[in-house]
Amino acid sequence: QVQLVESGGGLVQAGGSLRLSCAGSGRSFRGYHMAWFRQAPGKEREFVSAISWNGITTRYADFVKGRFTISRDNAKNGVALQMNDVKPEDTGIYYCAADSQRLGPPYDYDDWGQGTQVTVSS
């Protein structure tokens, strides 16, 4: 397992930008595939983006392609999600997740952070 802590959430207007960060604990972080998920009020959690352990391969849900960018800095045990041109439907709790085996799909990640709230106003 790896411990994950998200930060950077907040209130932003539609069309604006926000950058989420995820801090992982331990040296083993660099060997994990990482991903971001989100959960809107009253809805199921959904996949947003993923990045391979070495940062070479990325995955994006269709609804964020061209707007969000995932990145990682293994030297700092960190993963980021740059959110541009945000929309009200992007509102939700964003979770950082880690998996030691599979990048996905399927995105059946094992370890999760506590989440950070993102609210997009119209």
Side-chain angles (χ1 to χ4, degrees), residues 11-71:
L11 176 64
V12 62
Q13 292 186 354
S17 297
L18 199 65
R19 184 178 177 87
L20 306 183
S21 297
C22 174
S25 65
R27 185 180 62 84
S28 62
F29 170 86
R30 65 186 62 192
Y32 283 77
H33 306 300
M34 302 297 299
W36 289 95
F37 295 76
R38 71 187 186 189
Q39 186 169 24
K43 297 184 178 180
E44 294 185 353
R45 186 172 58 197
E46 63 183 353
F47 168 77
V48 175
S49 184
I51 187 167
S52 61
W53 70 273
N54 55 14
I56 293 177
T57 306
T58 57
R59 306 281 192 237
Y60 294 96
D62 287 342
F63 52 80
V64 302
K65 286 183 178 179
R67 299 191 297 122
F68 293 5
T69 302
I70 189 171
S71 62

Side-chain angles (χ1 to χ4, degrees), residues 86-97:
V86 295
K87 305 176 184 297
E89 53 263 41
D90 293 324
T91 293
I93 301 175
Y94 282 69
Y95 298 91
C96 181

